[in-house]
Amino acid sequence: MTAIHEVAIAALSATTAGAVTAAALVARSRRTLSRSHAQTRASAAAEEQRKIEALQQLVNVRLPSQALHLRSAHYPVPGLTDAGLSGTEFAALLDSLQELFAKAVLEERQRVDAAARAALRGACMEIQAKSYQLQTDLDTLQQTCEDDETLQNYFRLDHLNEQLVRLVQKAAIVTGSWPGLVRPDTHLPDIVAGATSRLHGFERISVHSKLRTDTVGVVGRAAEPIAVACTELLANALESSRADLSVEVTLLQTDNGAVCIQIDDAGKGMTTEEASRAARLLAGRQQVLLTELGDPPALGFAAIGQLVADHGFQVTVDQASPYSGVRAIITIPPALVTSIDPHTAPLSAMSPIPAPAPRAPRRAITSDDPGSASSDSGVLPQRHRRGRRVPGLEERAVPGGHPPEPEQARDTWDAFEQGIAAGRAATPSDIRNEDRT
Amino acid sequence: MSQGQGRRLVPSYLAPGGSSAPTRNSLQALTVLIATGLPAKSHHTPAQQRLLDLIARGALTVAESAGYLRLPMGVCKMLASQLVDDGCLMARTPLSGIPDGIRTPGAGRPPMSLLERVRDGLLTAL
């Protein structure tokens, strides 16, 4: 009994102790649990806070600077500042949001720009057509005008109209239109003269032609585009140099068949930044947005770039002129150069007069020239090394590229054959045979 | 400018250059221009130099010069009057083609036979 009692007590106490222990354990684990819960909550809150901050950074900093960056690459785009978030799904979401934003902005900008270009193009083409009508009318009036004063007035209006045509044509080309005119094959000096006429202050431009012949022309499809490009480069040269300085234009023919229009001004030149921007636009490889061209838009280089891309001539402005300004060169490749007979299609009276070609050195023919030894001098004719052929001799022998008159050609040939016959007759046959061996 | 040639490229106002209005209005279509032998000066435009070259080969009327240079007559008059002012050209009043009152006496009409020969020549040329 006692034993049972004791056992019961012992068991009870043991149970109680176990329960107490268990209770203590439970309480401890509950404390731990609540502490870890608190920790989890705290860290979740912290993470949420970091995410909010990253989101705020995206909205307040990254997206605006992305918008600025799309306008100009000079603006940097900051990335995610919180390094702890990098690599997470959330960071990837933010990045894709930024990309989406950039894409939407770009697309919208292209769309708006295309609409602006279309509107400008439509307006330009109509104005251009009307200006050409006005040009025709003024030209007809000038043909019949007898009075000097009236003629001067027509000239003034005509010049104003030409300047207007130039501005409108340039804008039309930048907005994706064609130059608006197709010309027949045209003499190069005429193209340059026409280009000067479209500018205010054309009196300051002096054109020197160093072309060797009167036949150098540009194929029809490239005539007006080259005139437009030349006009824009001349306009830049006039604008960037003082009003009392002249602009020198030189027409050159290179040995590889290309023709160059070289424009030298004595202006202030271009900065490196301007030059690289010009080179980018003149290459004509990418579509330019109107919004990239400044306000008011500077259309000249963009128009040239468009024409260069369409027609395949080259324009460079990266050299300094001898007068420390800019030297612009239009290079017209042989494919766009053609030959025009000045008799059937004469040059305009206003185009520059070609400078006399420099005299090519010529071998002097002296009396003791061994080639002139006659057969009766007792010396056998000997073969001699001929002097180097002077290039351009043929051209000079036939000035202006005219073939000789038929009668003259016949007489020359007659004399030549008679000379040969006389020489053969005078030479004994054995000597002739000896000469041959 | 001319039909079939497309739109003109070089306008006439380039011909006299940027100089001011001409000083005389006495030149007429049939005024004969004669070279004085004085060469062109540096301020003369290409069109003026071409006119001078043309006249140096022999005297021509204003109308003929305009035809050779393919310029409107008024423009050619303007060029010629500047060259006359500069002493490079002489202008001689036409013998005919001006009002009867100031016609040079002694400048008779050409004989009928000459006119007939001219007509015949023109008809054969056609």
Side-chain angles (χ1 to χ4, degrees), chain B:
Chain B
M1 193 160 69
S2 52
Q3 285 77 23
Q5 284 289 310
R7 196 161 285 280
R8 71 116 200 256
L9 179 60
V10 191
S12 301
Y13 59 81
L14 275 187
S19 55
S20 56
T23 52
R24 70 185 64 216
N25 203 3
S26 62
L27 294 182
Q28 307 199 357
L30 293 180
T31 303
V32 179
L33 300 170
I34 303 158
T36 58
L38 219 62
K41 298 189 181 73
S42 59
H43 69 266
H44 287 147
T45 62
Q48 283 168 330
Q49 291 178 32
R50 284 197 169 94
L51 178 61
L52 211 53
D53 284 350
L54 191 68
I55 307 290
R57 283 181 253 152
L60 283 177
T61 61
V62 172
E64 284 171 312
S65 323
Y68 278 119
L69 295 178
R70 301 184 184 223
L71 287 172
M73 188 113 72
V75 178
C76 190
K77 273 187 203 169
M78 207 176 262
L79 296 180
S81 62
Q82 273 181 18
L83 288 170
V84 170
D85 284 353
D86 291 342
C88 300
L89 285 184
M90 273 192 310
R92 184 171 291 165
T93 322
L95 298 182
S96 56
I98 55 171
D100 284 343
I102 50 170
R103 180 178 291 175
T104 319
R109 301 177 62 175
M112 184 61 112
S113 60
L114 176 67
L115 290 177
E116 277 172 354
R117 277 170 58 202
V118 169
R119 183 202 61 195
D120 293 346
L122 285 174
L123 284 174
T124 11
L126 285 171

Side-chain angles (χ1 to χ4, degrees), chain A residues 132 135-136 139 142-143 145-148 151-152 155 158-159 162 181 183-184 186 190-191 193-194 196-198 202-203 224 227 346 348-354, chain B residues 1-2 5-22 24-25 45-50 53 69-75 77-78 81:
Chain A
Y132 282 138
Q135 191 193 63
T136 308
D139 212 52
Q142 287 173 26
Q143 297 288 339
C145 177
E146 293 283 332
D147 179 43
D148 278 344
L151 191 59
Q152 291 277 1
F155 280 176
D158 199 2
H159 188 200
E162 283 288 339
L181 273 185
R183 295 195 180 277
T186 311
D190 280 2
I191 290 182
T196 61
S197 75
R198 300 175 187 183
F202 65 83
E203 300 90 350
E224 183 64 20
S348 146
M350 281 73 86
S351 64
I353 291 176
Chain B
M1 193 160 69
S2 52
Q5 284 289 310
R7 196 161 285 280
R8 71 116 200 256
L9 179 60
V10 191
S12 301
Y13 59 81
L14 275 187
S19 55
S20 56
R24 70 185 64 216
N25 203 3
T45 62
Q48 283 168 330
Q49 291 178 32
R50 284 197 169 94
D53 284 350
L69 295 178
R70 301 184 184 223
L71 287 172
M73 188 113 72
V75 178
K77 273 187 203 169
M78 207 176 262
S81 62

Side-chain angles (χ1 to χ4, degrees), chain A residues 17 73 137 141 181 187 203 212 264 343-344 405 430 435:
Chain A
D137 288 352
L141 286 171
L181 273 185
H187 287 287
E203 300 90 350
R212 287 197 299 266
D264 289 319
H343 296 285
T344 52
E405 293 297 315
D430 51 347
D435 184 32

Side-chain angles (χ1 to χ4, degrees), chain A residues 253-259 332-335 337:
Chain A
Q253 225 169 341
T254 65
D255 260 348
N256 59 6
V259 180
I332 306 162
V337 177

